Amino acid sequence: MKKIITEYLKPFYGRMAIGVFFKFTGSIMDLIIPSILALIIDQVIPLNQKAPIFYWGGVMVICAIVGMVFNIIANRMAARVASDATEIIRHDLFARVIYFSNHQMDTLTKPSVISRLTADTYIIHQMIIRIQRLGVRAPIMLVGGIIITMTLDPGLAMVLIGIMPVMMLIIILVSRKSMPLFAGLQQALDGFVRVVREDINGIRVIKALSKTDYEKNRFDTINTDVVNREKKARMTVAVISPAMNICLNLGLVSVVVVGAYGVNNGTSEVGIILAFMTYFTIILHAVLALSKLFEMWPKATASADRITQALDSVDALAVLEWPEDPEADAANLVKFDNVTFSYNKEEPNLTNISFTLKKGETLGIIGETGAGKTTLLNLLMRLYDVDEGKISIAGRDIRSMDPRELHQKFGVVFQNDMIFEATIEENIDLGRNLSKEAIKKAIVCAGAKAFVDEKADKSGEQLTIKGANLSGGQKQRILIARALAASPEILVLDDASSALDYQTDAVFRKAIKENFGDTTIIIVAQRISSIRHADHILVLEDGVAIGYGKHKHLMKSCEIYREISHSQMGVSSDATITEI
Ligand SMILES: Nc1ncnc2c1ncn2[C@@H]1O[C@H](COP(=O)(O)OP(=O)(O)OP(=O)(O)O)[C@@H](O)[C@H]1O
């Protein structure tokens, strides 16, 4: 919470101070009205003169109007400050999250990041409003009320003072108990978001595999957990309100009894008792309001901590100093030098991988599922750091490059990449302000022109979220066009052609060779036909390179490669095979 208050609210301290002034003045007005009423009853009415009654009545009305206007102004200012501050928090959080390394995202998890950006920032927004409204008004009404009641009738004020510690104790005990309950609830909500996200994303496969009942049970379990935690937390804080009401009513009864004795003995007056009862209600409402703040505080603290944790999350992938190396191997655009990597730092997922690619060359990577193909690409784009060895681009260790500079070199199509709810053109451009010509060229090379031209608005056609109004192959072509559009130095295609038929795949590769001759290409493919003409082919098995070379060489030297080739293209598959 400290960061939110000292960093994010700091620019609003001035506006908040003005708001506090209005709230303070408005509250003081509300506070003096019962005293004026007591004065009118006990001292003005007995005079039997109209003028003083109208005078003091007028003062009461003015106080009420000023109080109302000032409170409205203060509330509106509080709402604006809360919205503006939350906007900045959300902006900073999103700006941080969008540059998270994969390691950071793995640590915080995606559902948790989503709820930090949505639910947690909303809770902070509510808290900022309440602090400025109740947080100012309640203490003024409480302290001001106590002072006035002490001056009105010190004896009666003792009733009030006797009840206060009981109320404070209730609030402290309940808050202590509820704080960890709300933190646990927030965590359960993260799990809930994860399950909902998985179910909605995977709704097709869930139906296809008749897993609906299983998923329903899984959802019910997490839903019940959230409900139970919510119930427990709410039941705990639910004690506060009725307990406060009991205190209020017992206090009022005591005031009436003690006050009645006072009036009978002539030590007190009816107007004072009336005013006292109003102050009593005001004070106890102030305590109730403060208790609501205390009730919200643990939730807001938990949310603020979660937001701060994401904001302060350190990127383990620091940019290293780059000592200029005159012997740097600039001729080799991409170089893997004995690279070893493990996600869990126990079992290696890639072991001693080495290869070099010159500008314009193509590398094909093939291997069974889980062999480490995507991992190799993740390392190349420094989504994770190597454990041993080095990856360099144009002779420079990628760990010494600014992440933006590094990523600008790439055009990438990953498996299941995202299509956004935007036009085809915007999906390809992706905010990079590319020229219309570059986008058109990319559409043609990706083999997307025919279906884009069929759309009513051509490349201005609006796509639905995740490209739901496109076929699998059409989506793939849009993603390929996106990767090509900025004419990248290195084009990475992770199983990008799997949704294309053989013929389109071949046409696509030919178009890339013709139009992006200088681009170095890395293709991860399941199909031999997609990579057999590559300058180099890397065969991976369990993270180890079991074959490296051209198609012809591998057909002779690598048994696994030969087997894959035969299983896909028949035993006659060799260097002379006619391309499909
Ligand atoms: N974020 C991750 N955390 C932990 N382990 C991971 C992570 N990503 C991948 N792995 C593991 O690393 C290994 C290699 O995965 P990778 O995705 O590189 O395989 P792949 O060859 O691309 O497979 P596929 O062809 O199925 O996409 C697998 O055993 C996988 O379980």
Side-chain angles (χ1 to χ4, degrees):
M1 190 56 100
K2 193 175 156 214
K3 190 181 179 87
I4 303 288
I5 295 171
T6 55
E7 275 185 35
Y8 285 97
L9 287 181
K10 199 173 176 187
F12 301 98
Y13 283 173
R15 276 163 68 184
M16 286 171 87
I18 298 172
V20 166
F21 164 75
F22 279 108
K23 196 82 203 168
F24 181 84
T25 317
S27 303
I28 294 290
M29 292 297 142
D30 291 343
L31 207 53
I32 55 179
I33 290 173
S35 287
I36 301 174
L37 184 68
L39 181 93
I40 294 174
I41 294 173
D42 293 338
Q43 292 175 31
V44 180
I45 293 178
L47 295 176
N48 262 337
Q49 288 173 8
K50 273 188 186 170
I53 294 179
F54 278 118
Y55 174 78
W56 285 107
V59 173
M60 247 178 108
V61 171
I62 290 169
C63 284
I65 291 173
V66 172
M68 186 189 74
V69 172
F70 276 33
N71 276 319
I72 290 175
I73 294 173
N75 290 352
R76 294 179 78 152
M77 287 185 76
R80 282 213 189 108
V81 166
S83 299
D84 292 350
T86 316
E87 188 186 0
I88 298 174
I89 295 171
R90 257 194 224 117
H91 169 274
D92 282 7
L93 188 57
F94 185 74
R96 187 89 192 85
V97 164
I98 204 88
Y99 287 110
F100 266 6
S101 66
N102 280 28
H103 176 70
Q104 283 170 298
M105 197 56 103
D106 288 351
T107 312
L108 289 183
T109 76
K110 284 181 193 164
S112 175
V113 167
I114 293 171
S115 54
R116 283 165 212 242
L117 264 164
T118 50
D120 288 326
T121 49
Y122 179 72
I123 290 170
I124 292 295
H125 174 261
Q126 293 296 306
M127 190 66 202
I128 298 174
I129 290 193
R130 284 198 188 188
I131 283 180
Q132 294 176 91
R133 291 175 58 174
L134 299 181
V136 176
R137 184 178 169 83
I140 293 171
M141 299 309 254
L142 180 66
V143 176
I146 290 174
I147 293 172
I148 295 177
T149 47
M150 293 286 277
T151 55
L152 282 178
D153 189 330
L156 278 183
M158 293 320 282
V159 177
L160 193 70
I161 289 166
I163 281 178
M164 296 287 280
V166 182
M167 294 165 64
M168 293 298 180
L169 191 69
I170 294 171
I171 292 171
I172 291 169
L173 289 180
V174 172
S175 297
R176 265 204 200 152
K177 205 164 170 213
S178 63
M179 221 182 276
L181 294 178
F182 278 111
L185 171 66
Q186 209 55 43
Q187 254 174 18
L189 277 169
D190 283 353
F192 180 81
V193 172
R194 176 175 55 76
V195 171
V196 170
R197 193 165 163 261
E198 282 173 4
D199 284 349
I200 301 294
N201 283 344
I203 198 149
R204 244 184 0 189
V205 69
I206 290 167
K207 278 188 186 161
L209 298 179
S210 300
K211 285 278 182 193
T212 318
D213 286 340
Y214 171 79
E215 287 303 325
K216 249 169 76 183
N217 289 338
R218 201 160 75 106
F219 177 83
D220 285 345
T221 310
I222 186 93
N223 193 18
T224 311
D225 183 37
V226 169
V227 170
N228 287 342
R229 281 172 188 272
E230 173 115 40
K231 269 189 203 158
K232 202 169 169 193
R234 300 262 169 223
M235 295 284 234
T236 309
V237 291
V239 173
I240 292 181
S241 213
M244 295 298 131
N245 274 330
I246 285 274
C247 292
L248 171 74
N249 290 325
L250 283 177
L252 281 176
V253 170
S254 311
V255 166
V256 171
V257 172
V258 177
Y261 275 110
V263 173
N264 276 346
N265 299 339
T267 52
S268 195
E269 289 171 278
V270 178
I272 288 184
I273 305 294
L274 265 179
F276 205 96
M277 287 177 75
T278 313
Y279 282 121
F280 202 90
T281 316
I282 286 177
I283 289 167
L284 293 192
H285 276 304
V287 176
L288 259 181
L290 279 178
S291 77
K292 287 229 157 51
L293 266 186
F294 279 110
E295 187 186 313
M296 195 169 185
W297 186 257
K299 262 177 100 177
T301 311
S303 292
D305 287 348
R306 286 156 53 85
I307 291 172
T308 310
Q309 187 194 18
L311 284 170
D312 292 346
S313 137
V314 179
D315 187 357
L317 310 181
V319 178
L320 303 183
E321 283 286 309
W322 172 240
E324 282 300 330
D325 179 1
E327 300 196 354
D329 194 2
N332 290 313
L333 185 69
V334 176
K335 184 168 179 180
F336 269 59
D337 192 1
N338 258 318
V339 168
T340 295
F341 172 76
S342 164
Y343 285 104
N344 59 14
K345 307 302 169 210
E346 285 169 17
E347 301 273 304
N349 299 101
L350 280 181
T351 312
N352 290 333
I353 302 294
S354 293
F355 63 85
T356 50
L357 287 179
K358 291 193 166 46
K359 196 172 173 183
E361 282 189 334
T362 301
L363 170 73
I365 306 177
I366 198 158
E368 63 192 10
T369 177
K373 305 179 294 290
T374 304
T375 304
L376 189 149
L377 303 181
N378 286 342
L379 294 180
L380 174 61
M381 278 173 289
R382 210 187 171 205
L383 301 181
Y384 297 89
D385 260 348
V386 297
D387 294 329
E388 286 168 36
K390 189 167 96 174
I391 301 171
S392 44
I393 291 181
R396 181 169 174 177
D397 189 329
I398 58 167
R399 285 170 294 192
S400 71
M401 290 181 181
D402 177 79
R404 281 180 209 219
E405 181 195 345
L406 175 67
H407 294 148
Q408 269 169 8
K409 294 183 182 296
F410 292 97
V412 188
V413 184
F414 272 130
Q415 295 168 21
N416 307 321
D417 258 348
M418 186 69 181
I419 297 267
F420 297 91
E421 193 176 1
T423 65
I424 292 179
E425 199 172 301
E426 284 162 349
N427 259 291
I428 295 172
D429 181 41
L430 218 63
R432 292 174 291 181
N433 292 326
L434 302 173
S435 68
K436 295 245 179 230
E437 288 66 41
I439 292 174
K440 259 189 204 156
K441 184 176 160 189
I443 289 177
V444 172
C445 286
K449 189 173 183 316
F451 86 84
V452 170
D453 282 349
E454 275 170 21
K455 300 279 175 196
D457 293 326
K458 305 276 188 298
S459 61
E461 181 84 6
Q462 182 71 24
L463 300 182
T464 49
I465 188 153
K466 286 191 164 187
N469 53 347
L470 295 177
S471 74
Q474 289 171 341
K475 267 187 251 182
Q476 205 71 357
R477 286 167 219 217
I478 297 291
L479 294 173
I480 293 171
R482 180 191 291 166
L484 291 174
S487 299
E489 270 181 71
I490 304 164
L491 179 65
V492 173
L493 303 171
D494 187 0
D495 217 3
S497 51
S498 57
L500 306 181
D501 58 73
Y502 281 83
Q503 183 128 25
T504 314
D505 187 17
V507 172
F508 160 60
R509 276 179 283 113
K510 193 163 166 264
I512 289 186
K513 265 274 156 266
E514 284 171 8
N515 291 284
F516 296 89
D518 282 347
T519 301
T520 303
I521 304 170
I522 301 180
I523 306 176
V524 167
Q526 304 287 347
R527 298 197 300 233
I528 292 269
S529 66
S530 299
I531 55 165
R532 67 192 293 271
H533 288 290
D535 301 298
H536 311 274
I537 298 169
L538 175 68
V539 188
L540 284 178
E541 190 180 50
D542 292 333
V544 177
I546 54 162
Y548 185 72
K550 287 189 183 287
H551 174 76
K552 247 188 194 175
H553 168 74
L554 289 172
M555 287 300 283
K556 285 188 202 125
S557 63
C558 181
E559 196 186 330
I560 296 275
Y561 185 83
R562 197 165 47 241
E563 274 174 18
I564 300 173
S565 179
H566 286 167
S567 70
Q568 290 182 3
M569 311 212 262
V571 276
S572 60
S573 155
D574 57 20
T576 58
I577 194 166
T578 18
E579 198 183 340
I580 300 171

